[in-house]
């Protein structure tokens, strides 16, 4: 059937067609422009009206005068819209080259240009083009049995022409497997295996606590209700090593038995990396001694070894044991109670 | 008139505090203290009698959850501002223009701005201030200091857009209410001045990209883009108006 | 003239005339809901154009430098080269900020349009045979767009997106068994890692857009081959397609739509500030900000992370992190359900053969109710993703808000579904009653519309059609495509 042939042709050329369509769209705009200019020249008739050949569904009949009036107003409208667009475009060029490149001016003029041409085209489509509805038959998507047989025969016949097919199959599988292994190996260079850094508890006993600018902290540094961010001496500014040092009233602390000596004079230190999703737990609520994470609003009770008290975090912040040396400077008494940061499968 | 306004405000305070405070204030009014004398000691005396109950003995601020608390004065270097505050009573502060004479007001203001104001506001670097701000302050107040939500009942961190440099500096050292205090070990004077300078800058940041959409970030951008899509649906409706599909 | 010569030249090398004819006669249905996919497509085109411009200026390196540029509030700060180039584009390159903002706004609109398009396809059952493959491709396009958006705004290495990257790393880490491997593969090591930015850059400008473009070609090609569906109406059957032809009317409408989308993006880019990275400041390990959200299309995952309670789950001595459930399991289930949906529905449906006529939502009350339920679920999660900003904007407690949202997320979807079902069933019953009352009158009207003896619009093969397409001969440049007037739909 010629119809089906045509459809198959159209299908085969669908991808080329897209590029062709884009070209034609560009040419169409220019052609439309030409038509407007045509209209403006009084002597030339741009097109011959074709006698109405019947009604399409979903459409009402219009009188000649109505048609003409719509065309006149439509032409006026598109002229105005297009003129506005051109003004906007010229404005853009002027703004740009004169140096006033503020986003408002450039963005506004660009929007006027694009919007004006867009409105022009749409009004053209609605007022100055036929609104004819087309009804087309759909072709059958499923191929006929004979077509399927032909395709199947083309494939199977070709397969039958190949000798030693089973050997080829096993060779193919083996080759694919080896290729896969090679590709995976190449991807290996993208990342490293999770190494000791993931499980590290950062601090070592005896390390001094220092602030962002390297100053040490001592027992007289903070008053109850204050906090400061500290690091080990050798890891200032490190993401995973950041620690929050808080001073609370000593009698309010309710640490577990084995951690009773970890808080000299009411100073407690916890990892600043939230155990939920890894944001720094920056917010400190001084009245109830709560640490709050701003990302998902997890709360940790400073007085109870940073146990999670609300929000989506499940595990407490790892605590750092502290002690004060003879001069009152604060040192770490060991490592964090757990690797800092969000949890993972074998975090233990 | 001032008395009536004051009583209305006092009505918000727990009874005990109200009675004692009322007693104190009434006794001041009754005594009609307008004694002239040596301005310097005068200033200190007036402060101790009239101001320290709200602002603390050294003007360090009273950290209380009730509205009667007064902010830290330790960065109030400008005597003119202090005088205006004493006279007109901004926010929750009562006005003292009828209680104190002009010379008394001048005395106490100069006491505050010379003796109590110990936090220097000069010598800061806005760049370093920004860096410290993003470590300590943005977590509660947000990067454009328009205030942030805090995950416990009752309070959100306030917006700082209309706060003076002195108030901000005082608050950082004092830690009003639920805000932690930042003593010199955490932020020394120069760092504090830097942070204050950055906050003043970001109260009115340059907005080269247009309307900042209230600085709510991706939330307002999501709303705006949804509105944009609805507009585009409207446009599509206009283009295909009358279309039956 | 030129067109004639050029067309002949090309045709004699490509045998183009036949498919040009069929292409230009291709029928598109006339309804605004068919333009949603086009809005998405045109947003993608805008992204490619603006993105190419940005790629010429952006420097994707995480190397640290001291900033000494035009934004004085960051003077002396240690920033990455990527962040510095973002500031350079925004503040120094003429029109740089405009293009950058247009790019970001276009990305947000792109994803809204995909979502609206997905909703239209879902609620009108356009995923049925023969369009199941297109449904799968469309979902994959959604996923790719999501991922590309995340990579895009994370390239600038500012504090907001850096926070998002931390969370992304934690999400990968939370996958049981293989979590640490996934996280280290993505980041190139433990966080923060300088390898992340160049890696995301290659994915964002090259691999993922390439995949999107390739899938788009398949997606559009299939629509072209299978032809669009139609809403139910006169002459619209499984064997016909009704609408307007590509040339000239649909071309004008579509290009007009492209320009109007572009215009809106330009207006947004010019007047509405988006992602002000200079205020957020550079990412630094100990810096953090409140009011940190991902872009809206990831807000549902963010909301799930905020609402899901902190349950501690151990299998032996192994931990299943609490982040796994809202951030990995839930999205996988949602997308898995979406992918499988057409095939699951097929099990319960009695449709036979190709389905080329859409079903209106009220004609499928159960499915529409289910869909509305899922939509409300996502909406509550999206709101939860911004709960701290909402708390500040309304001066309320975020803890209270979270409590309310936790209840809502369980309760609201079934309620919405239960409300939708009877509404749909009622509308369906009413429409059926109307249709049954006046069959005679309706038949007469139909006849009248189809009556004319010289009607050229009946079921004729295209090459015998007397419509505008037949007037189009390549080379007849004077011929105006607007040769047949008669439409009275004023504006």
């Amino acid at each position: 059937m010629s119809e089906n042939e045509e459809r198959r042709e159209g299908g085969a050329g669908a991808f080329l067609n897209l590029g062709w369509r884009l070209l034609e769209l560009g040419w169409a705009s220019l052609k439309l422009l030409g038509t407007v200019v045509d209209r403006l020249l009084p002597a030339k008739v741009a097109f011959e009206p074709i006698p109405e050949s019947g009604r399409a569904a979903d459409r009402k009949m219009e009188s000649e005068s109505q048609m003409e009036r719509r065309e006149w107003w439509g032409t006026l409208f598109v002229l105005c819209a297009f003129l506005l667009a051109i003004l906007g475009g010229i404005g853009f060029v002027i703004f740009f080259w004169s140096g006033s490149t503020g986003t408002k001016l450039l963005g506004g003029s660009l929007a006027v240009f694009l919007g004006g041409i867009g409105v022009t085209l749409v009004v053209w489509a609605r007022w100055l083009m036929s609104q004819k509805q087309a009804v087309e038959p759909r072709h059958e998507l499923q191929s006929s049995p004979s077509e399927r047989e032909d395709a199947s025969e083309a494939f199977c016949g070709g397969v039958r022409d190949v000798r030693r097919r089973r050997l080829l199959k096993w060779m193919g599988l083996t080759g694919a497997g080896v290729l896969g292994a090679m590709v995976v190996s190449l991807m290996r260079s993208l990342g490293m295996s999770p190494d000791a850094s993931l499980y590290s508890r950062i601090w070592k006993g005896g390390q001094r606590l220092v602030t962002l600018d390297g100053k040490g902290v001592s027992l007289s540094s903070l008053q109850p209700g204050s906090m400061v961010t500290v690091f080990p001496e050798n890891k200032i500014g490190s993401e995973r090593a950041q620690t929050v040092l808080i001073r609370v009233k000593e009698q309010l602390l309710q640490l577990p038995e084995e951690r009773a000596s970890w808080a000299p004079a009411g100073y407690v230190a916890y990892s600043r990396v939230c155990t939920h999703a890894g944001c720094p737990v920056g917010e400190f609520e001084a009245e109830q001694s709560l640490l709050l994470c701003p990302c998902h609003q997890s709360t940790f009770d400073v007085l109870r070894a940073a146990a999670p008290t609300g929000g989506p975090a499940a595990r407490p912040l790892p605590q750092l044991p502290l002690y004060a040396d003879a001069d009152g400077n604060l040192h770490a008494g060991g490592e964090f109670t757990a690797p800092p940061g969000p949890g993972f499968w074998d975090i233990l | 008139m001032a008395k009536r306004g004051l009583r209305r405000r006092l009505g918000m305070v727990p009874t005990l505090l109200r009675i004692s405070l009322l007693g104190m204030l009434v006794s001041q009014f009754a005594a009609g203290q307008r004694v002239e004398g040596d301005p310097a000691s005068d200033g200190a005396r007036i402060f101790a009698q009239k101001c320290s109950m709200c602002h603390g003995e050294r003007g360090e601020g009273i950290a209380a959850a009730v509205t009667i608390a007064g902010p830290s004065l330790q960065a109030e270097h400008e005597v003119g501002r202090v005088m205006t505050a004493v006279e007109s009573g901004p926010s929750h502060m009562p006005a003292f223009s009828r209680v104190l004479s002009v010379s008394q007001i001048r005395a106490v203001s100069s006491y505050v701005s010379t003796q109590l104001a110990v936090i220097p506001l000069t010598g800061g670097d806005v760049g370093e201030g920004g860096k410290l701000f993003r470590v300590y302050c943005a977590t509660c107040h947000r990067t454009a200091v328009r205030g942030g939500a805090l995950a416990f009942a009752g309070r959100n961190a306030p917006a700082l857009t209309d706060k003076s440099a002195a108030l901000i500096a005082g608050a950082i050292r004092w830690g009003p209410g639920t805000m932690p205090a930042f003593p010199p070990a955490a932020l020394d004077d120069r760092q504090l001045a830097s942070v204050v300078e950055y906050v003043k800058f970001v109260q009115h940041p340059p907005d080269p990209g247009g309307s900042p959409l209230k600085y709510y970030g991706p939330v307002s951008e999501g709303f705006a883009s949804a509105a944009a899509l609805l507009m585009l649906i409207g446009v599509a409706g206009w283009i295909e108006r009358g279309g039956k599909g | 003239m030129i067109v004639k010569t050029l067309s002949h030249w090309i045709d004699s090398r490509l045998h183009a005339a036949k498919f040009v004819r069929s292409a230009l006669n291709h029928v598109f249905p006339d309804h605004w809901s068919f333009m949603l996919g086009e809005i998405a497509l045109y947003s993608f085109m805008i992204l490619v154009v603006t993105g190419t411009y940005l790629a010429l200026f952006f420097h994707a390196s995480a190397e640290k430098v001291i900033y000494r540029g035009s934004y004085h509030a960051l003077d002396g700060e240690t920033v990455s080269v990527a962040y510095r180039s973002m500031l350079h584009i925004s503040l120094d390159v003429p029109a740089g900020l405009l293009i950058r903002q247009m790019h970001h706004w276009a990305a947000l609109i792109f994803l809204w349009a995909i979502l609206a398009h997905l909703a239209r396809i879902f609620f009108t059952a356009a995923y049925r045979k023969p369009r199941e493959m297109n449904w799968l491709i469309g979902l994959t396009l959604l996923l790719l767009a999501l991922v590309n958006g995340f990579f895009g705004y994370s390239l600038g290495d500012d504090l907001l997106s850096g926070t998002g990257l931390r969370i992304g790393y934690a999400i990968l880490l939370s996958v049981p068994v293989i979590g640490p491997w996934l996280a280290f593969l993505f980041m190139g090591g433990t966080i923060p890692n300088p390898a992340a930015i160049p890696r995301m850059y290659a994915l964002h400008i090259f691999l993922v857009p390439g995949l999107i473009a390739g899938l788009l070609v398949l997606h559009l090609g299939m629509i072209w081959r299978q032809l669009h569906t139609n809403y139910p109406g006169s002459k619209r059957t499984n064997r016909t397609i009704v609408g307007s032809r590509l040339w000239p009317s649909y071309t004008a409408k579509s290009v007009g739509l492209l320009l109007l989308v572009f215009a809106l993006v330009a207006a947004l880019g010019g007047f509405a500030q988006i992602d002000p990275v200079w205020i957020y400041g550079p990412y630094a390990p100990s810096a953090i900000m409140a009011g940190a959200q991902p872009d809206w299309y990831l807000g549902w995952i963010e909301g799930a992370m905020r609402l899901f309670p902190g349950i501690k789950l151990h299998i032996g001595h192994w931990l299943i992190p609490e982040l796994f459930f809202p951030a990995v399991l839930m999205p996988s289930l949602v997308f898995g359900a979406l992918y499988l949906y057409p095939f699951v529905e097929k099990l319960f449906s009695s449709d036979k053969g190709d389905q080329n006529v859409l079903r209106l939502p009220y004609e499928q009350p159960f499915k529409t109710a289910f869909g509305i339920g899922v939509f409300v679920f996502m909406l509550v999660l999206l709101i939860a993703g911004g709960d701290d900003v909402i708390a500040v904007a309304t001066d309320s407690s975020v803890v209270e808000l979270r409590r309310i949202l936790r209840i809502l997320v369980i309760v609201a979807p079934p309620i919405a579904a239960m409300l939708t079902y009877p509404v749909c069933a009622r509308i369906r019953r009413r429409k059926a009653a109307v249709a049954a009352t006046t069959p005679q009158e309706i038949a007469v009207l139909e006849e009248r519309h189809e009556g004319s003896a010289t009607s050229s619009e009946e079921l004729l093969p295209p090459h015998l059609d007397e419509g505008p397409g037949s007037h189009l001969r390549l080379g007849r440049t004077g011929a105006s495509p607007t040769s047949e007037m008669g439409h009275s739909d004023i504006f």
Side-chain angles (χ1 to χ4, degrees):
Chain A
M1 298 259 285
S2 63
E3 198 188 298
N4 280 336
E5 262 172 33
E6 210 179 288
R7 286 294 164 203
R8 233 182 299 143
E9 280 282 353
F15 305 122
L16 275 162
N17 181 60
L18 279 166
W20 176 261
R21 179 185 168 185
L22 283 166
L23 269 167
E24 271 299 316
L25 289 178
W27 185 241
S29 331
L30 290 172
K31 267 185 74 179
L32 289 172
L33 203 58
T35 316
V36 176
V37 174
D38 266 350
R39 292 275 321 159
L40 294 175
L41 298 172
K44 194 170 173 192
V45 178
F47 50 84
E48 298 88 33
I50 285 172
E52 192 62 64
S53 62
R55 290 184 199 173
D58 310 327
R59 201 191 65 188
K60 285 196 313 217
M61 265 312 268
E62 230 189 1
S63 69
E64 275 284 324
S65 63
Q66 270 183 317
M67 219 193 306
E68 273 188 24
R69 198 167 1 125
R70 182 170 41 77
E71 221 184 281
W72 194 90
W73 280 106
T75 315
L76 183 67
F77 198 95
V78 298
L79 272 175
C80 291
F82 190 73
L83 208 65
L84 199 62
I86 294 299
L87 283 175
I90 292 175
F92 183 95
V93 173
I94 292 177
F95 291 141
F96 195 95
W97 290 101
S98 71
S100 45
T101 50
T103 42
K104 287 200 188 76
L105 287 173
L106 291 180
S109 48
L110 182 62
V112 167
F113 174 74
L114 294 166
I117 301 188
V119 166
T120 306
L121 280 175
V122 171
V123 172
W124 218 296
R126 293 188 53 80
W127 289 33
L128 298 171
M129 280 186 199
S130 156
Q131 297 298 304
K132 224 168 161 76
Q133 289 261 279
V135 181
E136 294 275 342
R138 291 180 191 264
H139 51 271
E140 179 74 44
L141 285 170
Q142 187 159 304
S143 312
S144 67
S146 60
E147 284 167 351
R148 284 192 179 179
E149 248 187 69
D150 289 340
S152 165
E153 183 52 38
F155 180 72
C156 297
V159 169
R160 279 195 298 272
D161 280 342
V162 175
R163 316 304 307 167
R164 302 263 186 219
R165 285 195 292 276
R166 262 176 66 192
L167 181 62
L168 181 63
K169 182 178 83 174
W170 284 110
M171 279 184 178
L173 283 171
T174 316
V178 170
L179 181 65
M182 284 158 60
V183 168
V184 169
S185 312
L186 267 177
M187 286 190 57
R188 187 73 173 72
S189 51
L190 277 176
M192 12 182 306
S193 318
D195 62 1
S197 65
L198 191 61
Y199 306 91
S200 157
R201 300 185 184 202
I202 311 293
W203 291 82
K204 292 196 223 326
Q207 278 185 311
R208 266 197 332 148
L209 275 66
V210 294
T211 60
L212 263 170
D213 38 11
K215 295 188 295 211
V217 276
S218 71
L219 288 174
S220 57
S221 295
L222 303 177
Q223 72 232 38
S226 317
M227 65 151 188
V228 68
T229 302
V230 294
F231 301 87
E233 292 163 281
N234 57 342
K235 289 199 177 129
I236 297 180
S238 151
E239 166 96 25
R240 283 169 56 83
Q242 54 185 318
T243 308
V244 61
L245 178 71
I246 304 171
R247 188 172 189 189
V248 295
K249 292 204 176 76
E250 211 170 345
Q251 56 267 37
L252 297 175
L253 272 174
Q254 293 175 43
L255 297 174
E257 282 287 332
E258 62 273 15
R259 300 188 190 180
S261 59
W262 287 15
Y267 281 89
V268 279
Y270 299 105
S271 164
R272 199 164 176 251
V273 186
C274 186
T275 54
H276 182 236
C279 298
V281 182
E283 301 177 10
F284 176 55
E285 197 282 298
E287 281 181 359
Q288 293 171 55
S289 297
L290 290 173
L291 275 171
L292 318 174
C293 183
C295 285
H296 307 119
Q297 291 84 48
S298 303
T299 51
F300 301 93
D301 190 343
V302 173
L303 304 172
R304 286 181 188 75
T309 56
R315 297 176 308 115
L317 297 173
Q319 187 171 1
L320 181 72
L322 297 173
Y323 70 89
D325 65 12
D327 304 320
N329 294 319
L330 286 170
H331 294 252
E335 50 180 27
F336 276 131
T337 51
F344 48 92
W345 178 246
D346 47 355
I347 191 176
L348 290 163
Chain B
M1 201 171 45
K3 257 194 236 170
R4 225 185 306 142
L6 196 59
R7 284 222 181 87
R8 210 186 309 129
R9 281 191 214 119
L10 288 177
M12 296 190 269
V13 174
T15 320
L16 204 61
L17 208 56
R18 194 196 313 157
I19 291 174
S20 52
L21 201 65
L22 196 54
M24 275 192 272
L25 284 169
V26 163
S27 64
Q28 306 303 346
F29 298 154
Q33 300 235 334
R34 286 167 189 267
V35 180
E36 305 291 339
D38 170 28
S41 66
D42 226 22
R45 199 164 29 93
I46 297 170
F47 186 86
Q49 286 169 343
K50 295 204 184 309
C51 318
S52 59
M53 69 195 86
C54 290
H55 287 283
E57 277 175 21
R58 285 166 292 111
E60 72 275 16
I62 298 274
V66 295
T67 54
I68 203 87
S72 161
L73 303 171
Q74 291 183 336
E76 294 284 0
H77 297 276
E78 287 176 53
V79 64
R81 279 181 46 92
V82 182
M83 281 186 68
T84 317
V86 174
E87 280 172 4
S88 52
S91 184
H92 300 289
M93 174 171 166
F96 287 88
S97 49
R98 297 189 175 220
V99 179
L100 301 172
S101 71
V102 171
S103 62
Q104 284 178 316
I105 293 178
R106 204 177 294 133
V108 74
S109 304
S110 84
Y111 172 72
V112 166
S113 57
T114 53
Q115 305 289 326
L116 295 186
V118 296
I119 303 173
L121 286 179
T122 51
D125 166 51
V126 72
E128 211 203 317
K131 181 174 92 162
L132 291 163
F133 176 84
R134 285 184 285 276
V135 173
Y136 288 117
C137 321
T139 181
C140 288
H141 292 283
R142 287 190 9 243
T143 42
V145 293
R146 261 73 181 164
L150 301 177
F152 59 94
R155 288 291 188 78
N156 286 335
L160 305 178
T161 38
D162 53 352
K163 307 280 190 250
S164 67
L167 202 68
I168 297 168
I172 294 176
R173 277 277 185 260
W174 155 49
T178 55
M179 175 171 165
F182 292 89
L187 288 173
D188 65 29
D189 283 342
R190 201 188 49 82
Q191 289 174 326
L192 177 64
S194 304
V195 171
V196 172
E197 209 180 304
Y198 182 78
V199 171
K200 291 302 288 179
F201 166 78
V202 86
Q203 283 177 342
H204 304 283
D207 290 321
S211 160
L213 303 177
K214 293 189 167 252
Y215 300 101
Y216 286 142
V219 175
S220 48
E221 291 157 14
F223 276 113
S225 49
L229 180 77
L230 287 173
M231 267 195 274
L232 286 174
I233 292 180
V235 166
W238 170 56
I239 295 176
E240 291 284 26
R241 193 158 157 223
K244 301 286 184 296
Chain C
M1 265 183 5
I2 307 173
V3 176
K4 187 171 176 176
T5 328
L6 188 63
S7 316
H8 282 186
W9 193 88
I10 293 179
D11 177 57
S12 47
R13 285 150 180 76
L14 286 177
H15 199 80
K18 253 191 186 163
F19 75 73
V20 164
R21 198 233 148 102
S22 78
L24 295 176
N25 279 346
H26 193 100
V27 176
F28 289 84
D30 285 329
H31 197 261
W32 61 265
S33 60
F34 288 95
M35 289 193 145
L36 295 170
E38 283 180 38
I39 297 177
L41 174 68
Y42 296 144
S43 312
F44 180 67
M45 287 184 195
I46 297 171
L47 282 171
V48 170
V49 166
T50 52
T52 307
Y53 180 94
L54 292 173
L56 296 170
F57 294 96
F58 183 70
H59 201 151
S61 159
E63 190 188 319
K64 298 283 187 222
V65 288
I66 307 284
Y67 183 75
R68 298 254 178 253
S70 37
Y71 190 67
H72 298 297
L74 285 168
D75 215 32
E77 271 281 277
T78 307
V79 304
S80 62
V81 168
Y83 184 76
R84 187 177 62 176
S85 74
M86 279 282 259
L87 288 183
H88 179 68
I89 292 174
S90 303
L91 303 172
D92 301 322
V93 174
L97 186 59
L98 173 67
I99 302 289
R100 198 193 129 225
Q101 297 200 149
M102 281 174 67
H103 190 74
H104 204 145
W105 282 116
L108 298 185
I109 292 178
F110 180 41
L111 275 137
W112 276 118
I114 294 181
L115 192 68
H117 178 60
L118 171 74
R120 197 282 287 175
I121 301 286
F122 180 81
F123 285 111
T124 56
Y127 46 74
R128 295 172 294 167
K129 182 171 189 232
R131 295 175 179 84
E132 304 95 326
M133 279 191 289
N134 245 1
W135 170 262
L136 300 175
I137 291 181
L139 276 175
T140 313
L141 282 168
L142 171 61
L143 265 176
L144 288 173
L146 256 167
V147 160
N148 219 28
F150 174 71
F151 288 157
Y153 71 75
S154 302
L155 284 175
D157 200 31
D158 57 280
L159 186 55
L160 178 61
S161 58
T163 306
L165 269 183
R166 279 181 174 121
I167 298 177
Y169 173 82
I171 292 176
L172 287 174
L173 208 58
S174 73
V175 177
V177 186
I178 54 169
W181 291 86
L182 285 176
F184 272 59
L185 183 68
F186 169 58
M187 266 286 167
T190 187
I191 197 175
N193 196 292
I197 290 182
R199 192 168 295 194
M200 286 192 296
Y201 191 54
L203 289 171
H204 178 77
I205 70 169
F206 188 56
L207 186 62
V208 179
L211 284 172
I212 291 180
L215 285 175
L216 263 177
V217 168
L218 275 179
H219 196 70
L220 295 173
M222 273 200 266
I223 296 173
W224 189 270
R225 179 106 174 97
Q226 296 172 332
L227 297 177
H228 272 93
T229 51
N230 270 126
Y231 281 105
S234 80
K235 292 218 183 90
R236 290 149 168 90
T237 68
N238 265 334
R239 310 283 317 172
T240 56
I241 180 163
V242 180
S244 41
R245 297 199 188 274
L246 174 61
W247 183 260
S249 60
Y250 204 75
T251 306
K253 290 182 197 173
S254 212
V255 175
L257 180 66
L258 162 63
L259 289 166
L260 289 168
V261 172
F262 214 146
L264 184 61
V265 169
L268 278 172
F271 291 97
Q273 189 164 273
I274 182 170
D275 201 19
V277 289
W278 49 88
I279 297 186
Y280 300 145
Y283 165 81
S286 38
I288 180 66
M289 56 185 277
Q293 269 87 12
D295 274 358
W296 76 266
Y297 42 86
L298 292 173
W300 57 293
I301 301 184
E302 174 79 7
M305 286 194 284
R306 291 178 187 213
L307 294 184
F308 195 78
I311 56 168
K312 213 161 150 187
L313 188 58
H314 281 277
I315 298 183
H317 64 267
W318 286 303
L319 171 73
I320 304 210
E322 68 278 15
L323 202 57
F324 170 71
F325 300 98
V328 180
L329 190 61
M330 191 271 291
S332 309
L333 289 175
V334 167
F335 271 96
L338 280 171
Y339 271 106
L340 289 175
Y341 188 82
F343 308 102
V344 169
E345 192 190 82
K346 189 81 203 309
L347 292 174
F348 297 97
S349 104
S350 50
D351 289 332
K352 285 192 180 23
D354 289 355
Q355 303 298 319
N356 291 317
V357 178
L358 296 174
R359 281 223 201 94
L360 296 169
Y362 61 78
E363 289 171 5
Q364 330 159 65
F366 187 76
K367 188 194 89 174
T368 302
F370 174 72
I372 295 285
V374 171
F375 173 75
V376 167
F377 175 69
M378 293 295 190
L379 189 65
V380 175
L381 287 182
L382 181 61
I383 294 173
D387 60 1
D388 60 339
V389 171
I390 295 175
V392 165
T394 56
D395 199 24
S396 51
S397 160
V398 71
V399 171
E400 275 306 304
L401 197 57
R402 182 170 62 200
R403 210 170 289 153
I404 295 173
L405 286 168
R406 271 181 175 161
I407 299 173
L408 264 183
V409 81
I410 313 263
V411 153
I415 291 182
M418 287 195 291
L419 285 175
T420 314
Y421 186 91
V423 170
C424 290
R426 188 143 180 247
I427 299 176
R428 184 169 66 167
R429 248 178 291 141
R430 209 137 27 111
K431 295 265 177 170
V434 167
T437 44
T438 55
Q440 256 81 21
E441 283 131 62
I442 291 174
V444 166
L445 281 168
E446 290 275 348
E447 211 178 77
R448 206 181 288 157
H449 279 294
E450 297 168 24
S452 177
T454 54
S455 163
S456 57
E457 302 283 68
E458 299 311 316
L459 300 173
L460 294 171
H463 60 276
L464 292 178
D465 192 6
E466 307 253 66
S470 63
H471 292 290
L472 187 73
R473 301 276 180 265
L474 291 171
R476 211 178 110 183
T477 54
S480 162
T482 65
S483 49
E484 188 135 14
M485 306 310 242
H487 183 65
S488 64
D489 193 19
I490 308 292
F491 217 177

